[in-house]
Amino acid sequence: MQPKNATSLTYSLADCEGVVDVFKGRKIWWDLITIERKRSPSLSWDPPPQTSRFLNMRVHRRDRAMVMSEYLPYVLDNAKALKAKRRERKLYTNSSRDEWFSIRNKVWDSIPFKHPATFGTLALDPLLKQRIMDDLLDFKNGEQFYKDAGRAWKRGYLLYGPPGTGKSSMIASIANFLEYDVYDLELGEVKSNVNLKGLLLEISDKALVVIEDIDCSLDLSRMKKKDEEKESDSMKPPWAEKEDKPSKVTLSGVLNLIDGLWSSCGNERIFVFTTNHIEKLDEALIRSGRMDMHIHLSFCGFEAVKLLAKNYLKLENHFLFEEVQAVMQEDGVCMTPSDVTEVFTRERRDPEQALKSLIEELRQSKTKKKVQEMSEQKIREAKELLTEEKGVNHEIEVPGAITEASDNMQKNSSAGLTMLDGTHPKEQPEKEELNDLDNEDEGAEGSR
């Protein structure tokens, strides 16, 4: 039979059968006992089971102490390891539906995790690959070390580099290597820091917690301006106000997730962040203790190309390998693993043609890089020129405006409060009235 969530067949004893086990030269007898029990009334739709099954262990009296102190812990440890090996690993993602938090109490959705990537198929520098594998094994077997050091049993990995360099494949390889479940955390779907803690509590042990493109995720979670919120809220229907409310997860909430008091609520967890722009990340997020190991995934090297040729073209060696290596050593030649695999997939029917196409693509990448560098240089020069022009205009216009305003202020200083344009709204009418009174007085004196 194959139980639910199992990846292989399971064998069991028939009723009233037994098996004899031998441990350190001592015999232990196991018998399967089946007991029928009466059916009790129940309000549930599913009737209770008709029989109960359990194993009965028999040992000699002289072996009782050894069995209790050594044999039973040995059996329990092996049963736990066998259960973990046979279970179906899952890929989880946090649910974006608010009603599931209250009705079904289910904050994670899952599907079977069956990604085929392994460290054997990963296009990476062999020395870096071995270093990562050794670090993972030290972590997996380091329960006592973390306990003695007084630290939570967790570790952080930061994967960074250009797009297409294998960050997602690295995550899948780590999960398959350690046989962990994967929790893909979408920060944009988390409403607040409180909900983020609730998600953390539902993560099991032996888990890989992944936040991809962490720089973009944190931008989505930042507070928007009040006027933009009011404008967007006024356009939403009443029933969509709660669902469309932007995420309020902050950087502080993420830091508490990976290195705060809440990070110790589980054991044997690895946090993995990915980014294409490491310079955009806050230093507090990537320091040691949070992201313990920084892994730079860059363009393909020759050893990675040979591995991809073996996986995709079934080539262990070829006379064109020397030309491929020579072209890759030229300045400006760069291709990501995804670009190389695309060439090999397209030409997989003819391995020799695939290598020739790769050489051509490598040479074209050198030209593309030069064009890209020239374009970036022109953009930088245009920005600098525009900045200089703005600075010159600012220096010419602003002093003139200040001088004109100061002159007007000096002319009308006797009037008290002066406007920015150098005039006073009540000053001119008062002067006109005084002039009219002076003219009337002069006319009266002349008539006399």
Side-chain angles (χ1 to χ4, degrees):
M1 60 178 296
Q2 185 170 0
K4 184 180 179 181
N5 298 332
T7 58
S8 60
L9 295 175
T10 302
Y11 303 93
S12 62
L13 295 173
D15 294 343
C16 302
E17 287 191 355
V19 64
V20 179
D21 191 13
V22 179
F23 181 76
K24 293 185 176 181
R26 311 295 177 85
K27 289 185 177 182
I28 299 96
W29 290 264
W30 292 93
D31 301 318
L32 180 63
I33 306 298
T34 303
I35 299 178
E36 295 184 1
R37 68 177 188 177
K38 298 180 180 179
R39 180 176 179 180
S40 58
S42 176
L43 298 178
S44 62
W45 291 100
D46 298 329
Q50 298 291 329
T51 59
S52 298
R53 307 174 69 207
F54 61 90
L55 288 171
N56 181 46
M57 183 184 67
R58 294 182 292 112
V59 297
H60 287 289
R61 186 183 299 272
R62 65 176 182 272
D63 301 331
R64 181 175 179 178
M66 184 271 297
V67 169
M68 298 298 294
S69 62
E70 300 181 28
Y71 178 70
L72 287 182
Y74 167 80
V75 171
L76 293 176
D77 291 341
N78 279 271
K80 185 178 179 180
L82 186 62
K83 181 180 178 181
K85 184 178 180 179
R86 290 184 174 180
R87 73 179 179 89
E88 184 180 45
R89 291 184 294 116
K90 296 292 187 68
L91 172 62
Y92 295 87
T93 183
N94 51 306
S95 174
S96 61
R97 288 161 284 185
D98 291 339
E99 61 269 20
W100 281 29
F101 282 86
S102 57
I103 298 176
R104 296 179 58 180
N105 195 28
K106 184 178 180 182
V107 296
W108 293 99
D109 295 333
S110 65
I111 59 172
F113 181 75
K114 298 181 178 179
H115 200 290
T118 63
F119 279 108
T121 61
L122 192 63
L124 193 64
D125 179 73
L127 296 178
L128 178 59
K129 185 187 302 185
Q130 188 61 44
R131 178 188 172 193
I132 296 172
M133 295 172 64
D134 293 341
D135 189 79
L136 292 171
L137 287 176
D138 290 341
F139 170 78
K140 186 175 182 180
N141 302 324
E143 180 179 7
Q144 190 61 40
F145 167 79
Y146 283 91
K147 184 177 180 180
D148 296 340
R151 295 180 55 185
W153 192 8
K154 65 175 186 62
R155 193 154 177 81
Y157 290 85
L158 176 65
L159 311 181
Y160 67 98
T165 52
K167 290 183 282 293
S168 298
S169 298
M170 171 67 75
I171 294 171
S173 300
I174 293 175
N176 288 328
F177 182 71
L178 298 177
E179 298 182 346
Y180 283 3
D181 292 327
V182 180
Y183 288 79
D184 185 12
L185 180 57
E186 292 286 347
L187 287 180
E189 298 296 338
V190 184
K191 301 303 178 184
S192 65
N193 293 336
V194 175
N195 294 130
L196 185 61
K197 293 177 182 178
L199 289 169
L200 181 65
L201 292 175
E202 296 296 327
I203 297 177
S204 64
D205 295 341
K206 297 181 181 292
L208 207 66
V209 184
V210 180
I211 302 180
E212 295 190 280
D213 297 323
I214 182 65
D215 51 325
C216 302
S217 299
L218 289 179
D219 288 339
L220 290 175
S221 66
R222 288 174 181 169
M223 298 285 287
K224 292 186 177 181
K225 295 181 180 179
K226 292 183 178 180
D227 54 349
E228 293 179 351
E229 285 187 354
K230 292 180 180 179
E231 183 179 355
S232 61
D233 291 343
S234 61
M235 300 175 62
K236 297 176 186 176
W239 58 83
E241 181 177 359
K242 185 176 181 181
E243 295 181 358
D244 297 337
K245 189 175 181 181
S247 174
K248 302 298 181 182
V249 176
T250 62
L251 177 62
S252 175
V254 177
L255 296 181
N256 289 330
L257 170 74
I258 59 177
D259 193 36
L261 294 176
W262 289 86
S263 64
S264 61
C265 64
N267 291 319
E268 205 169 347
R269 291 176 179 174
I270 293 180
F271 294 89
V272 181
F273 292 170
T274 70
T275 181
N276 297 333
H277 307 282
I278 189 174
E279 68 277 0
K280 294 183 179 180
L281 299 183
D282 195 295
E283 290 294 335
L285 182 66
I286 61 176
R287 69 165 176 80
S288 299
R290 288 171 179 158
M291 292 293 103
D292 303 290
M293 191 172 185
H294 296 186
I295 303 174
H296 182 210
L297 300 177
S298 186
F299 300 103
C300 249
F302 179 65
E303 294 297 330
V305 170
K306 288 180 62 178
L307 178 61
L308 293 175
K310 177 182 177 181
N311 295 336
Y312 284 79
L313 306 177
K314 309 303 179 185
L315 289 178
E316 294 285 349
N317 197 4
H318 198 275
F319 70 92
L320 288 176
F321 278 175
E322 295 182 1
E323 186 174 355
V324 171
Q325 185 177 13
V327 173
M328 294 185 70
Q329 291 176 352
E330 297 179 5
D331 293 336
V333 175
C334 56
M335 286 186 67
T336 62
S338 61
D339 294 333
V340 177
T341 56
E342 174 58 28
V343 175
F344 288 167
T345 302
R346 185 176 66 244
E347 305 289 347
R348 62 183 181 275
R349 295 181 182 88
D350 189 350
E352 184 173 341
Q353 181 60 37
L355 293 178
K356 292 180 180 179
S357 299
L358 176 62
I359 294 172
E360 184 65 24
E361 291 285 344
L362 288 170
R363 289 170 177 166
Q364 290 180 4
S365 69
K366 183 177 181 179
T367 305
K368 291 179 181 178
K369 186 176 181 181
K370 289 183 178 180
V371 172
Q372 183 179 2
E373 290 177 351
M374 292 175 62
S375 301
E376 293 176 353
Q377 180 65 23
K378 290 181 178 179
I379 293 173
R380 285 194 298 268
E381 292 177 356
K383 288 182 178 180
E384 292 176 357
L385 181 61
L386 183 60
T387 304
E388 292 177 359
E389 290 179 353
K390 288 183 177 180
V392 171
N393 293 335
H394 182 72
E395 292 176 358
I396 294 174
E397 295 175 2
V398 173
I402 295 175
T403 304
E404 183 179 356
S406 62
D407 293 340
N408 292 331
M409 290 173 66
Q410 290 178 0
K411 292 178 182 179
N412 302 299
S413 60
S414 59
L417 180 62
T418 305
M419 302 300 289
L420 291 177
D421 58 355
T423 61
H424 192 286
K426 295 182 180 180
E427 183 178 0
Q428 298 297 335
E430 292 177 357
K431 288 183 178 181
E432 291 177 358
E433 291 177 0
L434 292 174
N435 292 334
D436 292 339
L437 293 174
D438 293 340
N439 294 332
E440 291 178 359
D441 295 339
E442 292 176 357
E445 293 177 358
S447 62
R448 291 177 184 175

